């Protein structure tokens, strides 16, 4: 049975750990608010860009573009795939990283001829330790994603796609469904389905458009910006989910620390009371022994 000294040391250790987890909780909550604000500030531009792409399709429905499946439907692509996997730089975020890795491994099992493009130190270590080849690792932190980084990723992927090195590009990221839940997703980034930009029934054609030099040139010039925005949104979503998962993990750690401290306090009081009782018993026994000797 541990003595009072050992229990006090254990209590002190837990209290120090609780200070760290509480600080990590506050840091994650601050980063989460900042990331959501940045996403809200940039979202209107990409929504407007998507609206302009929709205008092109409703004006010229049979436009041909390498970034879209043909109008008659999806065609077979059996070549090399590309997969951008977004993970965190570290753990302590519950199942956040494992869920994203699991989605990437599913894609690798379904299509072994897939080249990996990885963001985040956790993903780099996972694939490296298992000798899974990484085509390109973006050697900057997954923390605080920026539009410049999204454009860098987009430029590399589009270059491989435009040169025919990649037939399809998938994006594995974590989508924040609401403030309380998130889910790892694997979505096709390129080519897009035309239905992704379909015109709603309540959005009738009320004006004509003229495109110079031609609709395809206009569409092809807009797609790199849209893909960059799509990747940026995924980076921000993943970052928000990471912070949300870390907040949940740290909150659980704090609750466990409170429970342990309560149990240790009871044990400390029990051990101390036992020691006091034993001392009183020994003193009483000594007093009785002295009294017997005198008689």
């Amino acid at each position: 049975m541990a003595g009072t000294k050992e229990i006090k040391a254990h209590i002190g250790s837990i209290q120090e750990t609780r200070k760290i987890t509480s600080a990590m909780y506050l840091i994650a909550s601050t980063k989460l608010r900042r990331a959501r604000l940045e996403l809200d500030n940039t979202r209107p531009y990409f929504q407007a860009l998507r609206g302009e792409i929709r205008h092109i399709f409703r004006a010229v429905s049979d436009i041909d573009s390498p970034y879209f499946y043909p109008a008659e439907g999806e065609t077979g692509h059996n070549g090399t795939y590309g997969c951008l996997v977004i993970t965190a730089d570290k753990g302590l975020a519950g199942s956040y990283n494992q869920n994203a890795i699991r989605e990437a491994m599913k894609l690798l099992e379904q299509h072994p001829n897939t080249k990996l493009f990885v963001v985040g130190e956790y993903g780099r270590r996972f694939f490296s330790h298992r000798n899974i080849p990484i085509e390109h690792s973006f050697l900057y932190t997954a923390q605080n994603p920026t539009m410049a980084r999204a454009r860098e990723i987009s430029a590399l992927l589009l270059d491989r796609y435009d040169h025919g090195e990649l037939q399809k590009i998938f994006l594995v990221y974590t989508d924040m469904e609401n403030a309380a839940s998130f889910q790892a997703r694997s979505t096709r980034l390129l080519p897009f389905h035309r239905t992704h930009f379909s015109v709603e029934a309540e959005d009738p054609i009320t004006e004509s458009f003229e495109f110079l030099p031609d609709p395809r040139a206009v569409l092809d010039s807009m797609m790199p910006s849209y893909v960059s925005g799509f990747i940026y949104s995924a980076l921000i979503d993943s970052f928000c989910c990471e912070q949300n998962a870390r907040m949940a993990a740290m909150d659980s750690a704090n609750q466990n620390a409170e429970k342990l401290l309560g149990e240790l306090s009871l044990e400390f009081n029990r051990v101390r009371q036992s020691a006091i009782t034993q001392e009183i018993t020994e003193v009483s026994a000594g007093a009785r022994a002295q009294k017997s000797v005198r008689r």
Side-chain angles (χ1 to χ4, degrees):
M1 185 175 180
T4 56
K5 184 177 180 180
E6 291 80 4
I7 296 176
K8 287 181 70 175
H10 195 182
I11 290 175
S13 175
I14 293 176
Q15 288 174 339
E16 292 299 321
T17 302
R18 186 178 58 176
K19 291 179 182 178
I20 296 174
T21 55
S22 297
M24 292 180 67
Y25 179 91
L26 294 175
I27 292 171
S29 63
T30 301
K31 289 182 176 181
L32 177 61
R33 288 194 299 269
R34 187 183 304 142
R36 283 177 172 173
L37 180 61
E38 291 177 359
L39 183 61
D40 290 339
N41 290 337
T42 57
R43 184 171 286 155
Y45 168 76
F46 295 104
Q47 288 177 341
L49 188 62
R50 181 176 180 177
E52 294 307 314
I53 296 173
R54 184 182 295 119
H55 289 162
I56 294 176
F57 276 110
R58 75 176 184 178
V60 187
S61 59
D62 60 345
I63 188 172
D64 181 32
S65 171
Y67 301 116
F68 292 86
Y69 282 119
E72 59 271 14
E74 182 174 339
T75 59
H77 289 275
N78 297 317
T80 302
Y81 290 3
C83 179
L84 175 64
V85 184
I86 302 175
T87 64
D89 289 324
K90 55 186 177 182
L92 299 177
S95 61
Y96 167 79
N97 288 300
Q98 290 79 6
N99 290 341
I101 293 294
R102 193 177 298 115
E103 287 297 320
M105 295 302 294
K106 286 181 183 178
L107 182 61
L108 288 174
E109 291 174 2
Q110 296 170 1
H111 198 283
N113 190 18
T114 298
K115 294 183 178 180
L116 292 176
F117 300 82
V118 181
V119 175
E121 183 62 28
Y122 191 99
R124 286 193 287 270
R125 290 199 307 266
F126 178 89
F127 294 118
S128 297
H129 290 170
R130 288 158 181 77
N131 297 318
I132 300 175
I134 298 176
E135 180 68 15
H136 187 89
S137 181
F138 297 95
L139 298 178
Y140 47 69
T141 176
Q143 302 291 310
N144 301 322
T146 63
M147 192 62 214
R149 291 174 179 173
R151 289 195 180 99
E152 178 184 341
I153 297 171
S154 174
L156 176 63
L157 294 177
L158 285 173
D159 182 69
R160 302 288 183 91
Y161 183 81
D162 292 338
H163 286 84
E165 298 178 25
L166 302 176
Q167 299 300 315
K168 285 184 181 181
I169 299 177
F170 287 85
L171 177 60
V172 174
Y173 71 106
T174 309
D175 181 30
M176 196 165 189
E177 298 177 336
N178 53 56
S181 65
F182 52 88
Q183 181 179 0
R185 298 187 182 278
S186 175
T187 184
R188 188 185 61 254
L189 180 61
L190 286 172
F192 287 103
H193 273 299
R194 294 168 186 263
T195 54
H196 187 71
F197 299 93
S198 60
V199 181
E200 291 82 357
E202 63 271 13
D203 186 21
I205 299 177
T206 58
E207 53 186 321
S208 60
F209 295 90
E210 182 179 0
F211 304 97
L212 296 175
D214 58 73
R216 174 171 176 173
V218 174
L219 182 62
D220 290 350
S221 67
M222 295 172 68
M223 289 311 299
S225 294
Y226 184 79
V227 171
S228 297
F230 199 105
I231 293 175
Y232 178 66
S233 177
L235 288 170
I236 291 287
D237 264 344
S238 296
F239 181 70
C240 289
C241 292
E242 177 194 348
Q243 302 310 317
N244 196 27
R246 183 160 289 114
M247 288 172 60
M250 294 304 102
D251 183 60
S252 177
N254 288 334
Q255 292 179 13
N256 290 335
E258 292 292 340
K259 182 179 178 181
L260 279 173
L261 288 173
E263 294 173 353
L264 287 172
S265 295
L266 288 175
E267 184 178 356
F268 177 80
N269 292 332
R270 190 180 302 117
V271 171
R272 185 178 62 176
Q273 186 64 42
S274 176
I276 293 173
T277 302
Q278 183 177 354
E279 289 179 2
I280 294 174
T281 302
E282 291 174 352
V283 170
S284 299
R288 285 196 299 269
Q290 290 292 331
K291 195 176 291 186
S292 298
V293 171
R294 289 172 185 172
R295 287 178 183 176

